[in-house]
């Protein structure tokens, strides 16, 4: 074996006290139950905190931005009369009319291009993809028409557009509807890319995306839409925006840095809580929020404190968000690491349909917990 | 199975009938590419440069699809005819300068010239207002000039200069100016984007239209049809226009398109085929199209029948897929500049020496501008310039990465 592979091999060979734990019956159910309770604790004594689903938070963000700026409009498949394929745009047609809330034909490349044209002309379109899996048909316009035009024009032609929709896998939708495009969009200069997890993330990041003068890709997650999170009083106001390029430390810790995004943040928090219960270790969980620009500073600061890093994401392993985080950690925090940084990703497989096979294809709380324990030699 | 079917004798008469019908239709519907086919009653031509008079376009200037033809008469002034002539000569001279600079290895990468197609860019601009929008393909130098870009900024861009129209960041295919949205390097991508410009015009109100151009090659891209569909559905003021120069790179229209009547490609959108070698016919068609579409009649699909003298790009000699005779015939008998020149002389709009003076003025202008462009400095190879304008100023991330961790550029 090449010596370059030795550190990882050493990790793999590490024996670990493996207390047998009953596997969660479904990773989705256990996560759904655990996350809000964690969050409630965070806001326990705050006043005016309300429970919001991610769906409601997105809806509120859209409604507020449509209200405040006549240049903003939303277009996409089933956004108007149907009230949104996932009900994110519910009620917007009734409130803002068919000039501002526009049903498109099923023609991703066409309407993405059209939305870009409207943005070049000075409007601020929100282009909804029913899922980002379908946006692959339109990715040329996201990358070539939207992201590059400002630079190619020497700065004279901005493109204020927001592409949004659910990204990554849902439950039982098989290979063509389960891909995570974070790494794809995250690699394109000229784009800003965000991936909200909580309701506050969803509202603050979507509003910031619509207001940002650059093309922004908002990668939502279908499994999070129905999940409730507490929303602080400040976040309920219509001037609430979150800055891009700033990660949020969802849980402070001193023993391991866990960098995650989107739905995996909730899973990481559950795993962190279990690790504390079982082993008394404190895991720091970082919610990236923003994929491009990426908050390297927060990651490095955390590694300096914990000396260990694990990234958790649901994309394919090769050339992914995890790969980028590990590379950056190696570049900027190598001397602070006590163990090789590790990544937990989706499996390198077209997502299967059968439930147990699907579970094997994506990070679960149990996998995160076990692998973190192994890294910590617990 | 098919072969058995056609062997049945009773099929034969039907096929024969079809063939006969097709032939007659084709004969009836050929648009001329004669660049000097318009007529005028010479006695109606006024002395003054500013006073309008009426010309009559050839009956073979247009073919229509589900549309009443535009008027075959067009009001022009002497001044405008001379301006059109000047514009076409400038575009031609500019493209020839680009050709020379490319051969001198001063222009890098791709360079697509529109020599032979000048009547389209010039005719379009003379038919619309500055407040209308234009978007086209990578063959964009002429349009960039007509929309208000200066020759020096266009040539400067080709030379990769800091004062180029896109500050040296875009090159030949990516030129933008007010009301002009490129210049798109992806074949056909400008068509839905153009529909979006029209969408914005409708959204904000006002009698404005968008002229969208694409080639006969691009016309087979799926997104062109996606744009047609939405434009018709939402009655967008979009004038789609196929610049049919007969070849998509080296593939002739007949080898790429199941239906080479590009003006009928909109199916449910009315179409108008235009003699794209005649700047007057182009102007008449686009003027009519703009009026039609801004009256909330929805989009139109135009076809400008034109011809490119050069290859697809500078790296293509343009002779492997067509004969030299064909090029020579178009150049010598259908040239848009020679055609308008003939009209100007025949109609007494200007005398030979006045035209020569215009020629000289155009040539001198281009030469001076090219010299100015060559004297421009290239962008300084500094991180500040490399990383500027990736994001709108003031909204950049804190830093952007260069090639190594040593080359991180901080904005703030």
């Amino acid at each position: 074996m090449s010596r370059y592979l030795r550190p990882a091999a050493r990790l793999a060979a590490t024996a670990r006290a493996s207390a047998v734990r009953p596997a969660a019956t479904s990773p989705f159910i256990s996560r759904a139950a655990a996350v809000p309770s964690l969050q409630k604790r965070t806001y326990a004594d705050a006043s005016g905190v309300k429970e919001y689903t991610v769906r409601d938070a997105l809806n509120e963000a859209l409604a507020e931005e449509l209200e405040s700026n006549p240049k903003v409009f939303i277009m996409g498949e089933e956004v108007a009369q149907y009230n949104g394929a996932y009900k994110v745009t519910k009620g917007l047609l009734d409130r803002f009319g068919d000039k501002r809330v526009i049903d498109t034909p099923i023609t991703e490349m066409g309407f993405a291009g059209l939305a870009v044209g409207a943005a070049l002309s000075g409007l601020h379109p929100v282009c909804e993809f029913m899922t980002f899996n379908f946006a692959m048909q339109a990715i040329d316009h996201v990358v070539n028409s939207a992201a590059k035009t400002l630079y190619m024009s020497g700065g004279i032609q901005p493109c204020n557009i927001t592409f949004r929709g659910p990204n990554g896998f849902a439950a039982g939708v098989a290979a063509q509807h389960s891909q995570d495009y974070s790494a794809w969009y995250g690699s394109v200069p000229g784009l800003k890319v965000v991936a909200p997890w909580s309701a506050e993330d969803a509202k603050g990041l979507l509003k910031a995306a619509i207001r940002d003068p650059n093309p922004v890709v908002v990668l939502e997650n279908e499994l999070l839409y129905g999940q409730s999170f507490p929303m602080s009083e400040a976040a309920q106001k219509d001037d609430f925006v979150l800055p891009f390029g700033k990660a949020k430390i969802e849980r402070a810790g001193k023993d391991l840095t866990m960098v995650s995004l989107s739905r995996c943040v909730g899973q990481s928090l559950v795993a962190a809580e279990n690790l504390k219960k079982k082993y008394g270790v404190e895991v720091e969980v970082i919610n990236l929020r923003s994929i491009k620009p990426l908050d390297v500073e927060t990651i490095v600061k955390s590694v300096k404190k914990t000396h260990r890093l694990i990234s958790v994401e649901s994309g394919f392993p090769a050339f992914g968000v995890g790969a980028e985080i590990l590379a950056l950690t190696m570049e900027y925090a190598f001397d602070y690491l006590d163990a090789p940084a590790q990544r937990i990703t989706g499996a390198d497989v077209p997502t299967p349909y059968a439930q147990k096979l699907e579970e094997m294809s994506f990070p679960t709380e149990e996998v995160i917990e076990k692998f973190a324990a192994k890294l910590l030699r617990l | 199975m098919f072969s058995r079917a056609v062997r049945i004798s009773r099929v034969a008469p039907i096929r024969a009938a079809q063939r006969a019908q097709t032939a007659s239709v084709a004969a009836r519907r050929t648009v001329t590419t004669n660049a000097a086919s318009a007529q005028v009653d010479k006695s109606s031509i006024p002395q003054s440069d500013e006073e309008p008079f009426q010309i009559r376009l050839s009956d073979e200037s247009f073919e229509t699809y589900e549309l009443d033809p535009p008027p075959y008469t067009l009001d022009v002034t002497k001044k405008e005819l001379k301006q059109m002539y000047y514009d076409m000569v400038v575009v031609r001279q500019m493209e020839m300068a680009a050709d020379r600079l490319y051969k001198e290895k001063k222009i890098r990468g791709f360079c697509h010239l529109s020599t032979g197609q000048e009547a389209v860019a010039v005719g379009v601009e003379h038919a619309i207002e500055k407040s209308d929008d234009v978007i086209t393909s990578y063959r964009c130098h002429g349009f960039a000039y007509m929309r208000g870009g200066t020759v020096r900024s266009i040539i400067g861009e080709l030379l990769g200069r800091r004062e180029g129209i896109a500050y040296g960041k875009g090159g030949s295919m990516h030129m933008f100016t007010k009301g002009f949205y490129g210049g798109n390097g992806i074949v056909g991508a400008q068509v839905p984007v153009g529909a979006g410009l029209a969408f914005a015009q409708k959204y904000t109100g006002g009698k404005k239209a968008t002229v969208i151009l694409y080639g006969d090659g691009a016309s087979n891209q799926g997104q062109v049809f996606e744009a047609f569909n939405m434009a018709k559905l939402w009655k967008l003021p979009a004038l789609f226009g196929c610049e049919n120069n007969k070849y998509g790179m080296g593939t002739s229209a007949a080898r790429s398109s199941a239906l080479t009547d590009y003006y009928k490609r909109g199916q449910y959108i009315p179409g108008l085929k235009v003699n794209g070698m005649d700047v007057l016919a182009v102007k008449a068609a686009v003027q009519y199209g703009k009026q039609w579409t801004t009256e909330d009649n929805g989009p139109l699909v135009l076809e400008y029948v034109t011809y490119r003298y050069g290859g697809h790009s500078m790296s293509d000699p343009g002779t492997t897929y067509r004969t030299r005779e064909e090029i020579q015939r178009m150049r010598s008998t259908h040239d848009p500049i020679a055609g308008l020149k003939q009209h100007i002389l025949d109609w007494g709009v200007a005398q030979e020496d006045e035209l020569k003076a215009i020629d000289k003025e155009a040539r001198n202008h281009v030469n001076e501008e090219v010299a100015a462009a060559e004297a421009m400095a290239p962008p300084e190879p500094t991180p500040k310039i490399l990383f500027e304008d990736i994001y709108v100023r003031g909204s950049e991330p804190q830093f952007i990465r260069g090639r190594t961790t040593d080359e991180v550029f901080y904005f703030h």
Side-chain angles (χ1 to χ4, degrees):
Chain A
M1 187 178 283
S2 155
R3 73 188 174 88
Y4 295 109
L5 285 172
R6 229 180 277 152
R10 195 170 60 210
L11 178 86
T14 309
R16 180 175 73 77
S18 57
V20 180
R21 283 174 299 275
T25 44
S26 158
F28 308 129
I29 293 165
S30 64
R31 178 252 317 129
V35 168
S37 67
L38 274 177
Q39 280 298 300
K40 265 178 204 142
R41 192 155 37 231
T42 317
Y43 293 99
D45 49 3
S47 61
V49 173
K50 267 194 204 162
E51 288 282 317
Y52 268 63
T53 61
V54 169
R55 175 181 290 113
D56 292 340
L58 291 166
N59 185 273
E60 188 169 283
L62 288 168
E64 285 172 7
E65 293 308 299
L66 282 163
E67 185 71 56
S68 68
N69 189 344
K71 287 181 173 177
V72 176
F73 67 92
I74 179 160
M75 66 171 12
E77 293 154 6
E78 309 295 358
V79 297
Q81 289 195 13
Y82 193 89
N83 272 323
Y86 297 104
K87 306 296 170 218
V88 170
T89 53
K90 192 174 178 185
L92 296 182
L93 174 66
D94 289 344
R95 191 163 156 199
F96 298 101
D98 59 4
K99 187 189 169 191
R100 313 278 306 281
V101 184
I102 302 153
D103 276 329
T104 65
I106 302 170
T107 177
E108 280 85 6
M109 194 177 204
F111 74 72
L114 190 144
V116 169
L120 295 179
S121 192
L123 300 180
H124 303 170
V126 178
C127 175
E128 172 175 317
F129 293 116
M130 198 181 286
T131 101
F132 269 95
N133 294 285
F134 308 153
M136 219 172 352
Q137 297 252 6
I139 198 166
D140 175 59
H141 283 296
V142 181
V143 175
N144 275 318
S145 304
K148 295 178 184 171
T149 297
L150 181 73
Y151 192 79
M152 292 193 305
S153 68
I156 61 175
Q157 182 54 71
C159 182
N160 180 341
I161 188 169
T162 305
F163 299 101
R164 56 155 290 269
N167 171 57
F169 77 105
V173 291
Q176 289 183 337
H177 289 70
S178 297
Q179 197 165 332
D180 182 331
Y181 293 88
S182 311
W184 288 43
Y185 295 109
S187 70
V188 180
L191 283 183
K192 292 186 180 179
V193 186
V194 294
W197 165 63
S198 67
E200 281 191 7
D201 288 358
K203 185 175 172 191
L205 291 172
L206 179 55
K207 283 170 71 75
I210 295 169
R211 293 180 187 189
D212 193 279
N214 303 288
V216 184
V217 177
V218 183
L219 301 170
E220 300 157 9
N221 187 298
E222 187 196 326
L223 295 169
L224 291 173
Y225 281 155
Q227 238 184 84
S228 292
F229 291 85
M231 182 96 102
S232 67
E233 210 170 358
Q236 291 170 37
K237 296 212 172 96
D238 63 4
D239 60 351
F240 176 70
V241 288
L242 286 172
F244 292 156
K246 288 272 175 269
K248 184 186 176 202
I249 298 173
E250 296 284 353
R251 184 188 195 282
K254 59 177 174 41
D255 299 313
L256 169 67
T257 299
M258 205 174 258
V259 184
S260 189
L261 71 160
S262 188
R263 181 174 167 272
C264 290
V265 174
Q267 296 176 304
S268 300
L269 285 170
V270 173
E273 209 58 22
N274 290 343
L275 285 160
K276 188 189 176 186
K277 267 185 228 153
K278 284 177 191 154
Y279 309 105
V281 293
E282 292 291 357
V283 177
E284 181 146 299
V285 177
I286 296 176
N287 171 9
L288 277 179
R289 280 184 169 169
S290 170
I291 294 164
K292 187 179 187 76
L294 193 72
D295 189 355
V296 192
E297 201 182 332
T298 298
I299 297 171
V300 171
K301 267 189 190 159
S302 178
V303 170
K304 283 183 179 174
K305 186 169 64 170
T306 66
H307 308 295
R308 286 177 175 79
L309 177 132
I310 210 166
S311 77
V312 187
E313 55 137 340
S314 64
F316 294 138
F319 316 103
V321 172
E324 180 65 22
I325 291 165
L326 264 59
L328 287 166
T329 306
M330 215 265 294
E331 284 177 329
Y332 290 103
F334 182 78
D335 293 338
Y336 302 95
L337 285 172
D338 285 347
Q342 296 290 322
R343 55 187 159 148
I344 300 172
T345 65
D348 202 357
V349 61
T351 307
Y353 170 69
Q355 188 167 357
K356 290 292 168 191
L357 294 177
E358 187 195 78
E359 280 172 26
M360 285 176 70
S361 309
F362 295 107
T364 62
E365 285 143 18
E366 207 202 354
V367 166
I368 299 167
E369 183 192 320
K370 275 189 185 168
F371 200 60
K374 190 172 181 180
L375 177 70
L376 290 163
R377 302 192 179 213
L378 297 168
Chain B
M1 216 153 82
F2 179 69
S3 59
R4 206 185 311 148
V6 293
R7 247 185 277 134
I8 297 169
S9 59
R10 68 187 146 82
V11 174
I14 300 167
R15 293 178 68 222
Q18 269 175 348
R19 205 165 32 236
Q21 197 191 1
T22 321
S24 71
V25 167
R28 185 154 41 86
R29 292 201 169 168
T30 301
V31 152
T32 179
T33 47
N34 185 343
S37 55
Q39 289 172 339
V40 71
D41 171 10
K42 280 188 198 168
S43 66
S44 73
I45 298 177
Q47 278 295 315
S48 151
D49 259 14
E50 314 276 346
E51 207 177 313
F53 61 97
Q54 202 171 58
I55 58 146
R56 186 169 167 77
L57 298 166
S58 154
D59 292 345
E60 293 173 350
S61 294
F62 310 117
E63 283 167 28
T64 60
Y65 169 68
E66 308 279 323
L67 179 78
D68 291 331
Y72 282 82
T73 54
L74 180 70
D75 284 340
V76 292
T77 62
K78 282 179 164 182
K79 190 182 170 191
E80 190 186 12
L81 289 174
K82 285 187 267 189
Q83 185 64 42
M84 283 175 162
Y85 179 78
Y86 175 81
D87 288 339
M88 285 201 288
V89 175
V90 168
V91 173
R92 170 82 48 98
Q93 290 291 329
M94 183 172 73
E95 296 288 56
M96 282 163 64
D99 181 279
R100 176 174 59 78
L101 292 165
Y102 190 93
K103 285 171 180 158
E104 289 170 9
K105 302 206 185 302
K106 289 177 180 166
I107 294 174
R108 314 177 65 229
F110 299 119
C111 186
H112 307 88
L113 303 181
S114 65
T115 327
Q117 301 181 204
E118 295 89 349
V120 183
V122 174
V124 165
E125 189 60 40
H126 279 267
I128 61 174
E129 308 290 324
K130 283 287 173 214
S131 55
D132 293 313
D133 289 336
V134 175
I135 188 167
T136 184
S137 70
Y138 43 81
R139 205 177 299 285
C140 67
H141 308 164
F143 290 96
Y145 171 71
M146 290 310 296
R147 288 264 81 189
T150 60
V151 175
R152 76 171 70 190
S153 70
I154 293 165
I155 295 289
E157 189 60 34
L158 297 179
L159 295 168
R161 299 298 205 257
R162 180 65 171 163
E163 289 169 75
I165 196 164
Y167 303 90
K169 297 275 181 73
S172 164
M173 301 189 279
H174 309 297
M175 297 181 176
F176 299 79
T177 184
K178 195 173 166 3
F180 182 57
Y181 295 83
N184 197 315
I186 308 299
V187 177
Q190 74 275 20
V191 182
V193 175
L197 298 171
F199 174 90
Q201 286 167 333
K202 187 155 180 137
Y203 188 94
T204 48
K207 294 267 176 201
K208 288 186 280 181
T210 300
V211 176
I212 302 158
L213 298 125
Y214 53 94
D216 47 301
S219 71
N220 295 313
Q221 285 279 17
Q223 57 182 323
V224 172
F225 298 93
E226 296 187 27
F228 284 175
N229 180 49
M230 285 182 292
K232 180 70 179 180
L233 205 56
W234 299 334
K235 282 187 161 185
L236 303 182
L239 298 178
F240 297 103
C242 173
E243 275 188 277
N244 178 5
N245 63 17
K246 292 184 75 180
Y247 301 92
M249 279 194 76
T251 305
S252 69
R255 289 202 299 131
S256 73
S257 303
L259 177 71
T260 52
D261 290 333
Y262 294 102
Y263 66 112
K264 295 179 182 168
R265 283 288 191 99
Q267 188 184 358
Y268 39 78
I269 302 177
L272 175 58
K273 185 176 182 178
V274 193
N275 174 5
M277 299 308 266
D278 180 0
V279 67
L280 300 169
V282 172
K283 179 183 158 127
V286 176
Q287 197 170 271
Y288 174 76
K290 186 191 161 179
Q291 190 193 345
W292 198 83
T293 196
T294 51
E295 281 167 1
D296 208 27
N297 289 314
L300 275 186
V301 174
L302 287 89
E303 175 183 348
Y304 308 96
V305 184
T306 182
Y307 195 81
R308 82 169 132 74
Y309 296 164
H312 164 72
S313 69
M314 288 303 299
S315 58
D316 166 28
T319 48
T320 58
Y321 47 87
R322 56 185 186 178
T323 60
R324 283 176 199 281
E325 290 69 43
E326 179 184 296
I327 305 169
Q328 201 43 49
R329 183 170 52 81
M330 292 303 289
R331 261 181 181 279
S332 56
T333 61
H334 294 73
D335 185 66
I337 297 176
L340 185 62
K341 183 178 187 174
Q342 193 186 321
H343 279 326
I344 288 176
L345 293 174
D346 286 354
W347 299 344
V349 171
Q351 300 305 312
E352 184 97 40
D353 49 348
E354 193 184 349
L355 265 192
K356 275 192 179 143
I358 294 176
D359 274 335
K360 198 174 168 191
E361 189 194 335
R363 222 178 0 252
N364 286 345
H365 175 64
V366 171
N367 288 342
E368 282 162 21
E369 293 279 284
V370 169
E374 286 206 78
M376 288 174 186
E380 278 179 56
T382 61
K384 187 184 174 298
I385 290 180
L386 176 65
F387 293 113
E388 79 186 349
D389 297 326
I390 301 173
Y391 298 95
V392 172
R393 286 177 199 199
S395 72
E396 300 102 337
Q398 263 187 307
F399 56 85
I400 284 184
R401 189 192 165 96
R403 292 165 296 187
T404 67
T405 46
D406 296 338
E407 290 187 354
V408 175
F409 179 76
Y410 291 86
F411 286 100
H412 309 298

